[in-house]
Amino acid sequence: MKKLTFLFILISGFLFSQEFKITPENYKNKNDETKNFVVLEFENKTKDELFKKVKSYIISNYKGIKNDGYNEIENEQIVLDVESRNTATIMFIMSGSNIWAISNRYEINFKDNKIMIKPSFKNLTNGVDEISLNNGNFMIKSIFNKKGEPSKEKSIDFINSEANKFVLDIKSAISADSEW
């Protein structure tokens, strides 16, 4: 039964998901590009319950995050810096022999029955080269060129999937049955 419930959450998460897409201005809500955040709703969940579940999920899945890259205002907000190599499920772009990793900042705000998640792209790196969002030149690489067109097409899917996976994981962690 638990597997069936998890499968339903996963499928409904994709069908009714709040998604992001990367733009030259940073992440935008895929359904409403005037917004740079998504709001997840959880009926009958207090702000305190939501905060505790998200905090528990983060501490369980992002080892060492409390030491650096994590700030919180109790029951109000969590700000988290995440590099894909620190996640439980790692996604990489293979480019020749280079492995690329993404760094994002997530701002998570809490209200009764709601969570607002606002991601912010920091960079894409392979440990040697760093690719910024835009404003690249002959020395600095960027995801988007000066016209706002993708110059790193392969990177766009990777960047989008990382932010969307974060949102889906938070949604699943809160919806999961807490019995042990």
Side-chain angles (χ1 to χ4, degrees):
M1 183 64 176
K2 286 184 181 183
K3 288 181 183 180
L4 185 60
T5 303
F6 178 73
L7 183 61
F8 174 75
I9 290 170
L10 192 62
I11 291 170
S12 64
F14 284 114
L15 294 176
F16 304 106
S17 68
Q18 301 280 348
E19 290 189 56
F20 290 105
K21 74 177 202 173
I22 195 72
T23 70
E25 293 83 35
N26 219 311
Y27 286 107
K28 297 287 184 180
N29 184 316
K30 192 174 182 178
N31 299 323
D32 182 356
E33 290 190 33
T34 63
K35 296 179 180 170
N36 61 352
F37 61 89
V38 296
V39 175
L40 305 177
E41 296 191 33
F42 300 93
E43 200 171 308
N44 302 319
K45 297 274 188 197
T46 66
K47 179 164 75 167
D48 183 53
E49 288 176 293
L50 293 170
F51 182 87
K52 285 179 182 177
K53 279 203 171 225
V54 170
K55 182 176 179 178
S56 176
Y57 167 78
I58 289 169
I59 291 170
S60 296
N61 289 282
Y62 297 94
K63 305 298 180 206
I65 200 74
K66 285 286 281 186
N67 299 329
D68 190 28
Y70 177 93
N71 293 296
E72 72 176 51
I73 300 171
E74 187 76 27
N75 293 334
E76 296 289 327
Q77 181 184 63
I78 295 174
V79 177
L80 173 71
D81 291 324
V82 175
E83 185 173 295
S84 65
R85 284 181 273 227
N86 292 339
T87 60
T89 304
I90 299 173
M91 290 189 69
F92 291 109
I93 293 177
M94 299 300 286
S95 175
S97 61
N98 297 327
I99 297 175
W100 293 90
I102 185 173
S103 293
N104 282 322
R105 170 169 278 190
Y106 296 96
E107 178 184 321
I108 309 165
N109 294 291
F110 301 87
K111 288 186 178 182
D112 284 340
N113 305 314
K114 295 180 184 180
I115 296 175
M116 185 216 48
I117 301 175
K118 178 182 172 184
S120 180
F121 176 82
K122 291 173 73 178
N123 64 40
L124 195 60
T125 183
N126 67 356
V128 177
D129 295 319
E130 188 173 300
I131 300 175
S132 65
L133 187 59
N134 50 32
N135 299 325
N137 57 35
F138 69 97
M139 299 262 314
I140 300 170
K141 297 175 185 176
S142 64
I143 303 298
F144 294 96
N145 64 24
K146 292 180 191 226
K147 295 178 185 177
E149 300 164 337
S151 58
K152 302 284 181 202
E153 194 69 46
K154 209 160 86 172
S155 303
I156 299 291
D157 292 336
F158 174 59
I159 293 167
N160 289 337
S161 68
E162 193 65 22
N164 291 323
K165 181 184 176 318
F166 183 85
V167 172
L168 184 60
D169 288 349
I170 293 288
K171 186 186 272 188
S172 296
I174 291 170
S175 300
D177 198 1
S178 62
E179 290 181 30
W180 52 278

